Amino acid sequence: MITVQIIGTGSTGNCAVVNRDFMVDLGVSRSLVERNADNLDALRHISAAFITHEHTDHANPSLVKCLYEIRPDVFKRQFFIPSQTYEKLTKANSFLGKAFEDYPLDNIIDKDSEFDFRTRGGTWHVRCFHAPHGSAECVGFVFTSPDDETLFWATDLENLEFAGVGNAKYDVICCEGNWDTECLTNALKDPETAGHAESSLRHQSVEAFEQFVSNHAKAGGKIIQLHNSGSFGRYSRYNNVYTGDVPDYSKPPLDI
């Protein structure tokens, strides 16, 4: 089974390690990684890295610099980022501006990118898709392992309209479930919280996350709810990585 180690998820920073082979998002601080031996070891041993979009909680310049210093081979060969992320990081500071002089522009990805990449565990395949998130250039991923297991990854997005999943079922789903509908609706009615609540509409609801899981997770699959809002969210019962509950996907889809 594909393994996913969450280093951080949410507005304070996003970063995860898949199969100890590659990272998705580098949005936590360098100090958070360096003061945890397991996280630092993971960074030292990855073969590739992906960033979903340019926001700092997904593309933290300090951790990108750390990647360049610790694994320059990964940075120069298998570091895959959207064009707006590339533009922002090259301007973040003089160090990264210099580091990106050696960056292969063929590794800039977009919503239509699809390719293979190599890890110590074998060759993976990735398909990218558009993840609408305000003005950001955000992409989601469908990863297929050398053993033909599948990992669906989508965070910081308004909806999954462009994911192109059809009737597909996934072994592992890491997907955003940010705000609870009732909680956000009440917050939008309150002048004191309306502004903050409105900004959350760039994210996907917990109910939409649950509907997607119900429709697209394989029986006994691993489910990780990403980017749960501390102000307007709730942990889903489908989030079995945290709760230990394994959903029964033989039941009909949720009525939401």
Side-chain angles (χ1 to χ4, degrees), residues 10-235:
S11 58
T12 57
N14 298 268
C15 183
V17 186
V18 179
N19 273 32
R20 308 290 284 187
D21 270 346
F22 62 93
M23 278 187 166
V24 181
D25 280 334
L26 301 175
V28 298
S29 68
R30 178 174 186 157
S31 61
L32 178 65
V33 171
E34 289 184 330
R35 67 173 179 257
N36 182 298
D38 191 51
N39 292 345
L40 186 58
D41 184 66
L43 181 63
R44 286 173 173 155
H45 286 86
I46 60 170
S47 302
F50 295 78
I51 289 181
T52 56
H53 66 291
E54 69 268 22
H55 291 165
T56 307
D57 60 332
H58 294 261
N60 187 312
S62 71
L63 190 56
V64 174
K65 179 181 178 182
C66 185
L67 173 69
Y68 180 85
E69 292 176 338
I70 292 177
R71 292 302 307 274
D73 56 323
V74 171
F75 189 98
K76 295 176 183 179
R77 291 187 302 106
Q78 293 198 126
F79 181 34
F80 305 103
I81 59 178
S83 60
Q84 288 182 199
T85 303
Y86 170 80
E87 292 170 6
K88 185 171 182 178
L89 287 173
T90 56
K91 299 173 183 176
N93 54 59
S94 58
F95 181 95
L96 286 180
K98 182 71 174 177
F100 272 100
E101 290 179 1
D102 297 326
Y103 180 78
L105 297 183
D106 287 346
N107 286 353
I108 294 177
I109 58 175
D110 62 27
K111 61 183 178 61
D112 298 315
S113 297
E114 187 168 359
F115 54 92
D116 293 335
F117 63 99
R118 295 180 62 101
T119 73
R120 281 188 300 277
T123 299
W124 289 68
H125 183 78
V126 60
R127 175 180 69 83
C128 302
F129 60 87
H130 175 50
H133 184 55
S135 62
E137 182 191 15
C138 188
V139 297
F141 305 111
V142 177
F143 296 103
T144 303
S145 78
D147 298 323
D148 287 326
E149 292 183 335
T150 50
L151 164 61
F152 180 90
W153 196 285
T155 185
D156 279 46
L157 77 169
E158 297 161 23
N159 57 63
L160 290 164
E161 177 182 355
F162 305 100
V165 296
N167 296 318
K169 303 282 187 179
Y170 301 100
D171 297 284
V172 182
I173 293 176
C174 297
C175 186
E176 178 167 80
N178 183 267
W179 46 269
D180 173 77
T181 298
E182 182 178 0
C183 183
L184 192 72
T185 299
N186 292 334
L188 287 167
K189 296 176 182 176
D190 185 341
E192 293 187 2
T193 57
H196 183 194
E198 188 172 354
S199 69
S200 295
L201 295 173
R202 295 182 306 166
H203 296 269
Q204 179 171 257
S205 71
V206 178
E207 288 84 357
F209 159 80
E210 291 175 333
Q211 183 72 74
F212 183 85
V213 167
S214 181
N215 289 339
H216 295 288
K218 290 183 179 179
K222 182 181 296 182
I223 312 300
I224 301 178
Q225 176 187 359
L226 299 176
H227 223 293
N228 178 42
S229 170
S231 300
F232 311 118
R234 61 175 169 84
Y235 278 113

